[in-house]
Short mmCIF file of all heavy atoms in Angstrom, two decimals:
data_model
loop_
_atom_site.label_atom_id
_atom_site.label_comp_id
_atom_site.label_asym_id
_atom_site.label_seq_id
_atom_site.Cartn_x
_atom_site.Cartn_y
_atom_site.Cartn_z
N ALA L 207 -27.02 -87.16 16.19
CA ALA L 207 -27.83 -86.78 15.03
C ALA L 207 -27.01 -86.77 13.76
O ALA L 207 -27.45 -87.22 12.69
CB ALA L 207 -28.46 -85.41 15.27
N ILE L 208 -25.74 -86.28 13.86
CA ILE L 208 -24.87 -86.26 12.68
C ILE L 208 -24.44 -87.66 12.31
O ILE L 208 -24.44 -88.04 11.12
CB ILE L 208 -23.64 -85.35 12.97
CG1 ILE L 208 -24.07 -83.90 13.14
CG2 ILE L 208 -22.62 -85.48 11.84
CD1 ILE L 208 -22.96 -82.98 13.55
N VAL L 209 -24.09 -88.48 13.30
CA VAL L 209 -23.66 -89.86 13.03
C VAL L 209 -24.76 -90.64 12.32
O VAL L 209 -24.51 -91.42 11.40
CB VAL L 209 -23.21 -90.55 14.33
CG1 VAL L 209 -23.06 -92.06 14.11
CG2 VAL L 209 -21.92 -89.97 14.84
N ARG L 210 -26.00 -90.41 12.71
CA ARG L 210 -27.09 -91.17 12.10
C ARG L 210 -27.32 -90.75 10.64
O ARG L 210 -27.77 -91.55 9.83
CB ARG L 210 -28.38 -90.96 12.92
CG ARG L 210 -28.29 -91.65 14.27
CD ARG L 210 -29.42 -91.30 15.22
NE ARG L 210 -29.13 -91.83 16.53
CZ ARG L 210 -29.93 -91.63 17.59
NH1 ARG L 210 -31.03 -90.92 17.47
NH2 ARG L 210 -29.62 -92.14 18.77
N LEU L 211 -26.99 -89.52 10.30
CA LEU L 211 -27.05 -89.12 8.89
C LEU L 211 -26.03 -89.92 8.08
O LEU L 211 -26.31 -90.35 6.95
CB LEU L 211 -26.77 -87.62 8.75
CG LEU L 211 -27.82 -86.67 9.32
CD1 LEU L 211 -27.33 -85.22 9.21
CD2 LEU L 211 -29.16 -86.83 8.60
N TYR L 212 -24.85 -90.12 8.65
CA TYR L 212 -23.83 -90.91 7.97
C TYR L 212 -24.20 -92.37 7.90
O TYR L 212 -23.89 -93.06 6.93
CB TYR L 212 -22.48 -90.73 8.66
CG TYR L 212 -21.78 -89.44 8.32
CD1 TYR L 212 -22.10 -88.25 8.92
CD2 TYR L 212 -20.77 -89.43 7.35
CE1 TYR L 212 -21.48 -87.05 8.60
CE2 TYR L 212 -20.12 -88.25 7.01
CZ TYR L 212 -20.49 -87.06 7.65
OH TYR L 212 -19.85 -85.88 7.29
N LEU L 213 -24.89 -92.88 8.95
CA LEU L 213 -25.30 -94.29 8.91
C LEU L 213 -26.29 -94.53 7.75
O LEU L 213 -26.30 -95.61 7.17
CB LEU L 213 -25.98 -94.67 10.24
CG LEU L 213 -25.05 -94.83 11.43
CD1 LEU L 213 -25.87 -95.11 12.69
CD2 LEU L 213 -24.05 -95.96 11.20
N ALA L 214 -27.08 -93.52 7.44
CA ALA L 214 -28.08 -93.68 6.37
C ALA L 214 -27.44 -93.85 5.01
O ALA L 214 -28.04 -94.40 4.10
CB ALA L 214 -29.04 -92.47 6.37
N VAL L 215 -26.19 -93.36 4.84
CA VAL L 215 -25.50 -93.52 3.56
C VAL L 215 -24.20 -94.31 3.77
O VAL L 215 -23.18 -94.06 3.12
CB VAL L 215 -25.19 -92.13 2.92
CG1 VAL L 215 -26.47 -91.44 2.52
CG2 VAL L 215 -24.40 -91.24 3.91
N TRP L 216 -24.25 -95.28 4.68
CA TRP L 216 -23.07 -96.03 5.11
C TRP L 216 -22.27 -96.59 3.93
O TRP L 216 -21.07 -96.50 3.85
CB TRP L 216 -23.52 -97.15 6.03
CG TRP L 216 -22.44 -98.08 6.44
CD1 TRP L 216 -22.15 -99.32 5.91
CD2 TRP L 216 -21.50 -97.90 7.52
NE1 TRP L 216 -21.10 -99.90 6.57
CE2 TRP L 216 -20.68 -99.03 7.56
CE3 TRP L 216 -21.24 -96.87 8.42
CZ2 TRP L 216 -19.64 -99.19 8.47
CZ3 TRP L 216 -20.24 -97.01 9.33
CH2 TRP L 216 -19.44 -98.15 9.35
N HIS L 217 -22.98 -97.22 2.96
CA HIS L 217 -22.28 -97.90 1.87
C HIS L 217 -21.64 -96.92 0.88
O HIS L 217 -20.87 -97.33 0.02
CB HIS L 217 -23.25 -98.82 1.14
CG HIS L 217 -23.70 -99.97 1.99
ND1 HIS L 217 -22.87 -101.01 2.33
CD2 HIS L 217 -24.90 -100.22 2.60
CE1 HIS L 217 -23.53 -101.86 3.09
NE2 HIS L 217 -24.75 -101.43 3.26
N ASP L 218 -21.96 -95.63 0.99
CA ASP L 218 -21.35 -94.63 0.11
C ASP L 218 -20.15 -93.93 0.77
O ASP L 218 -19.52 -93.08 0.14
CB ASP L 218 -22.39 -93.58 -0.29
CG ASP L 218 -23.50 -94.17 -1.14
OD1 ASP L 218 -23.20 -95.11 -1.88
OD2 ASP L 218 -24.64 -93.71 -1.07
N LEU L 219 -19.87 -94.25 2.03
CA LEU L 219 -18.82 -93.55 2.75
C LEU L 219 -17.46 -94.14 2.43
O LEU L 219 -17.30 -95.35 2.28
CB LEU L 219 -19.05 -93.65 4.26
CG LEU L 219 -20.35 -93.02 4.81
CD1 LEU L 219 -20.43 -93.24 6.31
CD2 LEU L 219 -20.44 -91.53 4.49
N PRO L 220 -16.43 -93.31 2.38
CA PRO L 220 -15.06 -93.83 2.27
C PRO L 220 -14.65 -94.50 3.57
O PRO L 220 -15.26 -94.29 4.62
CB PRO L 220 -14.23 -92.57 1.98
CG PRO L 220 -15.03 -91.43 2.51
CD PRO L 220 -16.48 -91.82 2.35
N SER L 221 -13.60 -95.31 3.49
CA SER L 221 -13.19 -96.11 4.63
C SER L 221 -12.85 -95.25 5.86
O SER L 221 -13.20 -95.63 6.98
CB SER L 221 -11.97 -96.97 4.23
OG SER L 221 -11.51 -97.71 5.34
N ALA L 222 -12.22 -94.11 5.65
CA ALA L 222 -11.82 -93.27 6.79
C ALA L 222 -13.04 -92.79 7.57
O ALA L 222 -13.05 -92.79 8.81
CB ALA L 222 -10.99 -92.09 6.31
N GLN L 223 -14.07 -92.37 6.87
CA GLN L 223 -15.30 -91.92 7.55
C GLN L 223 -16.00 -93.08 8.23
O GLN L 223 -16.58 -92.92 9.31
CB GLN L 223 -16.22 -91.23 6.54
CG GLN L 223 -15.70 -89.87 6.05
CD GLN L 223 -16.69 -89.15 5.17
OE1 GLN L 223 -17.57 -89.77 4.56
NE2 GLN L 223 -16.57 -87.84 5.07
N ARG L 224 -15.98 -94.25 7.61
CA ARG L 224 -16.60 -95.42 8.25
C ARG L 224 -15.93 -95.72 9.59
O ARG L 224 -16.60 -96.09 10.56
CB ARG L 224 -16.51 -96.65 7.33
CG ARG L 224 -17.46 -96.62 6.14
CD ARG L 224 -17.44 -97.95 5.43
NE ARG L 224 -18.34 -97.97 4.28
CZ ARG L 224 -18.59 -99.05 3.56
NH1 ARG L 224 -18.05 -100.21 3.90
NH2 ARG L 224 -19.40 -99.01 2.53
N GLN L 225 -14.61 -95.60 9.62
CA GLN L 225 -13.90 -95.88 10.86
C GLN L 225 -14.33 -94.93 11.96
O GLN L 225 -14.55 -95.34 13.11
CB GLN L 225 -12.38 -95.74 10.60
CG GLN L 225 -11.81 -96.79 9.68
CD GLN L 225 -11.64 -98.15 10.34
OE1 GLN L 225 -11.85 -98.27 11.54
NE2 GLN L 225 -11.28 -99.15 9.56
N VAL L 226 -14.47 -93.64 11.64
CA VAL L 226 -14.89 -92.64 12.64
C VAL L 226 -16.31 -92.93 13.11
O VAL L 226 -16.62 -92.92 14.33
CB VAL L 226 -14.82 -91.21 12.05
CG1 VAL L 226 -15.36 -90.20 13.04
CG2 VAL L 226 -13.38 -90.88 11.68
N VAL L 227 -17.22 -93.22 12.18
CA VAL L 227 -18.59 -93.51 12.53
C VAL L 227 -18.67 -94.77 13.38
O VAL L 227 -19.39 -94.81 14.40
CB VAL L 227 -19.47 -93.68 11.26
CG1 VAL L 227 -20.86 -94.17 11.61
CG2 VAL L 227 -19.55 -92.35 10.50
N TYR L 228 -17.93 -95.80 13.00
CA TYR L 228 -17.99 -97.07 13.74
C TYR L 228 -17.47 -96.90 15.16
O TYR L 228 -18.00 -97.51 16.10
CB TYR L 228 -17.18 -98.13 13.00
CG TYR L 228 -17.27 -99.50 13.65
CD1 TYR L 228 -18.44 -100.25 13.61
CD2 TYR L 228 -16.18 -100.04 14.31
CE1 TYR L 228 -18.53 -101.48 14.22
CE2 TYR L 228 -16.25 -101.28 14.93
CZ TYR L 228 -17.41 -102.01 14.86
OH TYR L 228 -17.52 -103.23 15.46
N ARG L 229 -16.44 -96.09 15.35
CA ARG L 229 -15.90 -95.86 16.72
C ARG L 229 -16.98 -95.25 17.61
O ARG L 229 -17.11 -95.62 18.77
CB ARG L 229 -14.67 -94.96 16.67
CG ARG L 229 -13.43 -95.65 16.17
CD ARG L 229 -12.19 -94.82 16.51
NE ARG L 229 -10.98 -95.44 16.00
CZ ARG L 229 -9.76 -94.98 16.26
NH1 ARG L 229 -9.62 -93.90 16.99
NH2 ARG L 229 -8.70 -95.58 15.77
N HIS L 230 -17.74 -94.29 17.03
CA HIS L 230 -18.81 -93.70 17.83
C HIS L 230 -19.88 -94.72 18.16
O HIS L 230 -20.36 -94.81 19.28
CB HIS L 230 -19.42 -92.49 17.11
CG HIS L 230 -20.63 -91.94 17.81
ND1 HIS L 230 -20.55 -91.04 18.86
CD2 HIS L 230 -21.97 -92.20 17.62
CE1 HIS L 230 -21.77 -90.76 19.28
NE2 HIS L 230 -22.64 -91.45 18.55
N VAL L 231 -20.27 -95.50 17.15
CA VAL L 231 -21.36 -96.48 17.32
C VAL L 231 -20.98 -97.51 18.39
O VAL L 231 -21.83 -97.93 19.17
CB VAL L 231 -21.68 -97.17 15.98
CG1 VAL L 231 -22.63 -98.33 16.18
CG2 VAL L 231 -22.26 -96.17 15.00
N GLN L 232 -19.69 -97.90 18.44
CA GLN L 232 -19.28 -98.88 19.42
C GLN L 232 -19.51 -98.41 20.86
O GLN L 232 -19.74 -99.24 21.73
CB GLN L 232 -17.78 -99.18 19.25
CG GLN L 232 -17.50 -100.23 18.16
CD GLN L 232 -16.07 -100.67 18.23
OE1 GLN L 232 -15.14 -99.86 18.25
NE2 GLN L 232 -15.83 -101.99 18.24
N SER L 233 -19.49 -97.10 21.08
CA SER L 233 -19.62 -96.57 22.44
C SER L 233 -20.97 -95.93 22.69
O SER L 233 -21.18 -95.35 23.75
CB SER L 233 -18.51 -95.55 22.70
OG SER L 233 -18.61 -94.44 21.80
N CYS L 234 -21.90 -96.01 21.73
CA CYS L 234 -23.20 -95.31 21.89
C CYS L 234 -24.34 -96.31 21.66
O CYS L 234 -24.53 -96.78 20.53
CB CYS L 234 -23.29 -94.17 20.87
SG CYS L 234 -24.88 -93.28 20.91
N ALA L 235 -25.07 -96.60 22.71
CA ALA L 235 -26.15 -97.59 22.63
C ALA L 235 -27.26 -97.13 21.68
O ALA L 235 -27.82 -97.94 20.93
CB ALA L 235 -26.73 -97.88 24.01
N GLN L 236 -27.58 -95.82 21.71
CA GLN L 236 -28.66 -95.33 20.84
C GLN L 236 -28.30 -95.46 19.38
O GLN L 236 -29.13 -95.87 18.56
CB GLN L 236 -28.97 -93.84 21.18
CG GLN L 236 -29.62 -93.63 22.52
CD GLN L 236 -28.64 -93.69 23.67
OE1 GLN L 236 -27.43 -93.66 23.45
NE2 GLN L 236 -29.14 -93.76 24.89
N CYS L 237 -27.05 -95.15 19.00
CA CYS L 237 -26.65 -95.27 17.61
C CYS L 237 -26.49 -96.74 17.20
O CYS L 237 -26.68 -97.09 16.03
CB CYS L 237 -25.36 -94.50 17.37
SG CYS L 237 -25.58 -92.70 17.43
N GLN L 238 -26.18 -97.61 18.15
CA GLN L 238 -26.16 -99.02 17.86
C GLN L 238 -27.56 -99.50 17.49
O GLN L 238 -27.74 -100.27 16.56
CB GLN L 238 -25.64 -99.82 19.07
CG GLN L 238 -24.15 -99.61 19.34
CD GLN L 238 -23.73 -100.16 20.68
OE1 GLN L 238 -24.49 -100.85 21.35
NE2 GLN L 238 -22.51 -99.82 21.10
N ASP L 239 -28.58 -99.03 18.25
CA ASP L 239 -29.96 -99.36 17.90
C ASP L 239 -30.30 -98.88 16.50
O ASP L 239 -30.94 -99.59 15.72
CB ASP L 239 -30.91 -98.70 18.90
CG ASP L 239 -30.86 -99.39 20.26
OD1 ASP L 239 -30.42 -100.56 20.31
OD2 ASP L 239 -31.25 -98.77 21.27
N GLU L 240 -29.87 -97.67 16.17
CA GLU L 240 -30.18 -97.10 14.86
C GLU L 240 -29.53 -97.94 13.76
O GLU L 240 -30.16 -98.24 12.73
CB GLU L 240 -29.65 -95.67 14.80
CG GLU L 240 -29.97 -94.94 13.50
CD GLU L 240 -31.41 -94.44 13.46
OE1 GLU L 240 -32.09 -94.48 14.52
OE2 GLU L 240 -31.87 -94.07 12.37
N LEU L 241 -28.28 -98.34 13.97
CA LEU L 241 -27.60 -99.16 12.97
C LEU L 241 -28.29 -100.52 12.81
O LEU L 241 -28.45 -101.00 11.68
CB LEU L 241 -26.14 -99.34 13.37
CG LEU L 241 -25.29 -100.21 12.44
CD1 LEU L 241 -25.27 -99.63 11.02
CD2 LEU L 241 -23.86 -100.35 12.98
N ARG L 242 -28.69 -101.12 13.89
CA ARG L 242 -29.38 -102.42 13.82
C ARG L 242 -30.67 -102.30 13.01
O ARG L 242 -30.99 -103.18 12.21
CB ARG L 242 -29.69 -102.93 15.22
CG ARG L 242 -28.52 -103.17 16.15
CD ARG L 242 -27.62 -104.32 15.71
NE ARG L 242 -26.65 -103.92 14.72
CZ ARG L 242 -25.52 -103.27 14.99
NH1 ARG L 242 -25.23 -102.91 16.21
NH2 ARG L 242 -24.69 -102.97 14.04
N VAL L 243 -31.42 -101.23 13.24
CA VAL L 243 -32.69 -101.03 12.52
C VAL L 243 -32.42 -100.87 11.04
O VAL L 243 -33.11 -101.47 10.19
CB VAL L 243 -33.44 -99.80 13.07
CG1 VAL L 243 -34.61 -99.44 12.17
CG2 VAL L 243 -33.94 -100.09 14.47
N LEU L 244 -31.42 -100.08 10.69
CA LEU L 244 -31.10 -99.89 9.27
C LEU L 244 -30.67 -101.19 8.62
O LEU L 244 -31.06 -101.53 7.51
CB LEU L 244 -29.97 -98.84 9.13
CG LEU L 244 -30.37 -97.39 9.46
CD1 LEU L 244 -29.12 -96.50 9.49
CD2 LEU L 244 -31.37 -96.86 8.46
N GLN L 245 -29.84 -101.98 9.31
CA GLN L 245 -29.39 -103.25 8.76
C GLN L 245 -30.55 -104.21 8.58
O GLN L 245 -30.67 -104.89 7.57
CB GLN L 245 -28.32 -103.88 9.68
CG GLN L 245 -27.00 -103.11 9.65
CD GLN L 245 -25.99 -103.68 10.64
OE1 GLN L 245 -26.35 -104.32 11.62
NE2 GLN L 245 -24.71 -103.44 10.39
N ARG L 246 -31.39 -104.31 9.61
CA ARG L 246 -32.52 -105.23 9.51
C ARG L 246 -33.49 -104.78 8.41
O ARG L 246 -34.06 -105.62 7.70
CB ARG L 246 -33.24 -105.36 10.87
CG ARG L 246 -34.46 -106.27 10.84
CD ARG L 246 -34.16 -107.65 10.33
NE ARG L 246 -33.23 -108.36 11.16
CZ ARG L 246 -33.59 -109.16 12.16
NH1 ARG L 246 -34.87 -109.32 12.45
NH2 ARG L 246 -32.68 -109.79 12.88
N SER L 247 -33.71 -103.48 8.28
CA SER L 247 -34.61 -103.00 7.22
C SER L 247 -34.07 -103.39 5.85
O SER L 247 -34.82 -103.85 4.97
CB SER L 247 -34.75 -101.47 7.31
OG SER L 247 -35.29 -101.09 8.54
N THR L 248 -32.75 -103.22 5.66
CA THR L 248 -32.13 -103.62 4.38
C THR L 248 -32.31 -105.11 4.14
O THR L 248 -32.63 -105.54 3.02
CB THR L 248 -30.65 -103.26 4.39
OG1 THR L 248 -30.49 -101.85 4.59
CG2 THR L 248 -29.97 -103.66 3.07
N GLN L 249 -32.09 -105.91 5.17
CA GLN L 249 -32.24 -107.36 5.03
C GLN L 249 -33.68 -107.75 4.71
O GLN L 249 -33.92 -108.64 3.91
CB GLN L 249 -31.79 -108.06 6.30
CG GLN L 249 -30.29 -107.93 6.58
CD GLN L 249 -29.96 -108.08 8.02
OE1 GLN L 249 -30.77 -108.57 8.81
NE2 GLN L 249 -28.76 -107.66 8.40
N MET L 250 -34.65 -107.07 5.33
CA MET L 250 -36.05 -107.37 5.07
C MET L 250 -36.42 -107.08 3.62
O MET L 250 -37.12 -107.85 2.96
CB MET L 250 -36.95 -106.58 6.03
CG MET L 250 -36.86 -107.04 7.46
SD MET L 250 -37.79 -105.93 8.59
CE MET L 250 -39.45 -106.22 8.02
#
């Protein structure tokens, strides 16, 4: 739940926080789904 809050403001995060968030996303299928949805929504 906390990681998804950070995904919502991904482009505003400093590099250190992005690294922490990305490490979690790499190992979490649910957060990977969330990131894909956010990316596709932005692209749409």
Side-chain angles (χ1 to χ4, degrees):
I208 294 175
V209 167
R210 290 171 190 177
L211 292 176
Y212 280 81
L213 287 176
V215 293
W216 175 263
H217 293 289
D218 295 328
L219 298 179
S221 177
Q223 290 185 337
R224 286 189 181 187
Q225 294 283 354
V226 175
V227 172
Y228 184 71
R229 285 196 182 186
H230 173 84
V231 171
Q232 277 191 309
S233 62
C234 177
Q236 291 79 13
C237 289
Q238 290 168 10
D239 288 339
E240 184 77 12
L241 179 59
R242 299 292 84 79
V243 170
L244 290 171
Q245 290 176 336
R246 178 55 63 90
S247 300
T248 301
Q249 294 156 15
M250 291 173 65

